[in-house]
Amino acid sequence: MPAIAPALSPIELLLKYNKPVPRYTSYPTAAAFEIGIGAGELSRQLAQPTSAPLSLYVHVPFCRHACWYCGCNRVTTQLGSKVVEPYLASLGIELKLLRAVMPQRRRIAQLHWGGGTPNYLNQQESAQLWGLLEQHFELEPNLDASIEVNPEFLSRDEVLHLRGLGFNRISFGIQDSNPEVQKAVNRIVPVEQLLRVMGWLREVDFNSVNVDLICGLPLQTPERFRQTLALVQQLRPDRISLFSFAYLPEQLPLQRKIAASDLPNQRDRLMMLEDAQQLLCSSGYEAVGMDHYALAGDSLAEAARAGLLHRNFQGYTTGGELELLGVGPTAISQFPHLFTQNERNLKAYTRALAEGRLPVERGLVVKDAETLDRRELIRQVMCEFAATIDLDHFSGEWQELQELAKDGLVKLETSGRLGLLTVTTSGRWLIRTIAAVFDPQQQQRASGSCLV
């Protein structure tokens, strides 16, 4: 059917559909994980013989101070090596237990250190962790190795060290460059330091540099955010992650330090997102998925153009065909028919390892054919802004999509018993809402964060 011109403005559309929706880094989402799924299921999964490489995620939970917007699993401490040394010992035990159930050393094609703050580790400690991974896995020669860093505590020597270890992609958070906004979220990094950090990263020739921005922080205004965007243009990273701040003080106690009255209104938030879209896309960046931008030559943009983009618990990725193994507290492992998540509490994680068992807290087995079909439809919507729908199996969803088409969020066509969905430019702001059409649990009980 032909698209119907939207009668509502972008802000009116966002207000109309502004309900809690998952970010769909997986389907089913982590909210569906069950306590009864644990170490046994992960062991049986890893015991299956295979020559396929893995994607490995390593969680480093420590931070020197807490950013008040943050929802990550972290431990705020100034103790440095006093907490890192026992943690590395625990990671060594976990890796040894994992290796014991695998019939051969698995090859690692993708590696990511996240947190927390991975550069909380000093140079000796990060080298020790890298050595542990080499001890238990085969790191491929063309390994795609990425790390998240806090630019506040980064030095040129540390940048050289990380590149020398083997990291070729790196990500750091700007969030907002305005000093008042930074103070309001307890994350203060002067512009001069951000410029120095980018200079060092370019000096040692990282393949890809990503920066994180957050829209909707306290005391942000469109004018202030344009200054941040101007800085980003000056830095010219290869990738940009532009997240919309999810204010969830009831779930995230740290956010109670942020006054709701300091948050920008929905109209200003939308203006900031639209400014970013217009400025970045006119400066050589391509929109990738719902919240990423990448220069045309970056592998993420290339994957998006080729229809090879995927999502996992780290967000958009070029290696969606790889099984994901996570180590460290709260880390999630993702296989075609199994999700598992480690203990989220550091003490519980450490205790499980001390008892000689894999520290899995919960998970989910996914073998139902319809659920797998829904997963693929959600991936297509989130990653390709389009989907091909079996009308015999998803007739109810097709009818629901008609309402979104009336608001100009999607274009719908039919070809025999197939429905062809294309997300419009207006619909990209509401991509999670469109994906949620294929999620019956979301229809029954809304969960996640609001759009703006």
Side-chain angles (χ1 to χ4, degrees), residues 44-54 99 101-108 321-323 335-336:
R44 285 188 287 275
Q45 173 66 47
L46 293 173
Q48 299 176 18
T50 178
S51 60
L54 276 171
R99 177 65 185 88
V101 300
M102 293 186 285
Q104 74 282 321
R105 277 169 51 122
R106 292 291 294 270
R107 292 180 295 118
I108 303 298
E321 75 284 358
L322 299 173
E323 295 178 340
F335 303 89

Side-chain angles (χ1 to χ4, degrees), residues 293-443:
Y293 297 86
L295 293 174
D298 188 86
S299 60
L300 197 68
E302 292 173 346
R305 288 196 299 273
L308 299 175
L309 200 64
H310 288 264
R311 277 178 75 75
N312 61 22
F313 293 97
Q314 299 158 38
Y316 285 103
T317 176
T318 58
E321 75 284 358
L322 299 173
E323 295 178 340
L324 172 64
L325 178 63
V327 296
T330 205
I332 293 176
S333 298
Q334 183 173 352
F335 303 89
H337 302 291
L338 175 69
F339 298 107
T340 62
Q341 183 173 24
N342 279 355
E343 294 281 0
R344 286 165 285 181
N345 178 273
L346 180 58
K347 290 183 179 179
Y349 166 82
T350 303
R351 184 168 56 249
L353 292 168
E355 295 170 357
R357 55 187 174 88
L358 288 172
V360 181
E361 177 186 4
R362 60 182 190 149
L364 188 68
V365 175
V366 185
K367 293 187 176 180
D368 175 67
E370 180 181 316
T371 301
L372 295 173
D373 287 343
R374 291 180 181 278
R375 172 192 291 176
E376 175 57 17
L377 287 169
I378 289 172
R379 186 202 68 80
Q380 289 179 28
V381 170
M382 296 294 295
C383 296
E384 301 176 17
F385 295 127
T388 302
I389 302 162
D390 184 333
L391 298 180
D392 291 327
H393 287 87
F394 297 103
S395 58
E397 287 79 1
W398 187 252
Q399 289 302 314
E400 189 173 346
L401 288 168
Q402 307 297 321
E403 295 304 310
L404 300 184
K406 290 178 182 178
D407 280 332
L409 304 182
V410 296
K411 294 180 181 178
L412 302 177
E413 301 176 78
T414 58
S415 177
R417 296 306 302 157
L418 293 178
L420 308 177
L421 175 155
T422 304
V423 179
T424 65
T425 301
S426 298
R428 290 196 175 202
W429 300 115
L430 293 155
I431 191 70
R432 291 189 285 156
T433 297
I434 299 169
V437 170
F438 301 101
D439 180 357
Q441 286 75 29
Q442 184 66 15
Q443 303 299 318

Side-chain angles (χ1 to χ4, degrees), residues 265-324:
N265 61 43
Q266 293 165 320
R267 190 174 298 276
D268 281 350
R269 288 182 68 155
L270 178 61
M271 185 181 299
M272 287 185 266
L273 291 171
E274 289 182 323
D275 283 348
Q277 172 88 2
Q278 181 177 359
L279 184 62
L280 296 175
C281 290
S282 64
S283 303
Y285 289 93
E286 297 181 8
V288 176
M290 68 176 182
D291 50 19
H292 282 55
Y293 297 86
L295 293 174
D298 188 86
S299 60
L300 197 68
E302 292 173 346
R305 288 196 299 273
L308 299 175
L309 200 64
H310 288 264
R311 277 178 75 75
N312 61 22
F313 293 97
Q314 299 158 38
Y316 285 103
T317 176
T318 58
E321 75 284 358
L322 299 173
E323 295 178 340
L324 172 64

Side-chain angles (χ1 to χ4, degrees), residues 65 119 149-154 186-190 193-194 197:
H65 59 75
N119 64 316
V149 296
N150 181 347
E152 181 181 358
F153 304 106
L154 200 62
N186 197 39
R187 182 183 174 91
I188 299 172
V189 186
Q193 173 66 357
L194 296 170
V197 167

Side-chain angles (χ1 to χ4, degrees), residues 15 29 33 39 59 105 115 121 130 151 153 160 191 193 204 238 250 254 259-260 270 275 287 329 354 367 383 432-433:
L15 292 174
T29 68
F33 290 3
H59 190 71
R105 277 169 51 122
L121 276 57
W130 189 279
F153 304 106
L160 290 167
V191 168
Q193 173 66 357
V204 299
D238 303 278
E250 293 183 1
L254 200 62
L270 178 61
D275 283 348
K367 293 187 176 180
C383 296
R432 291 189 285 156
T433 297

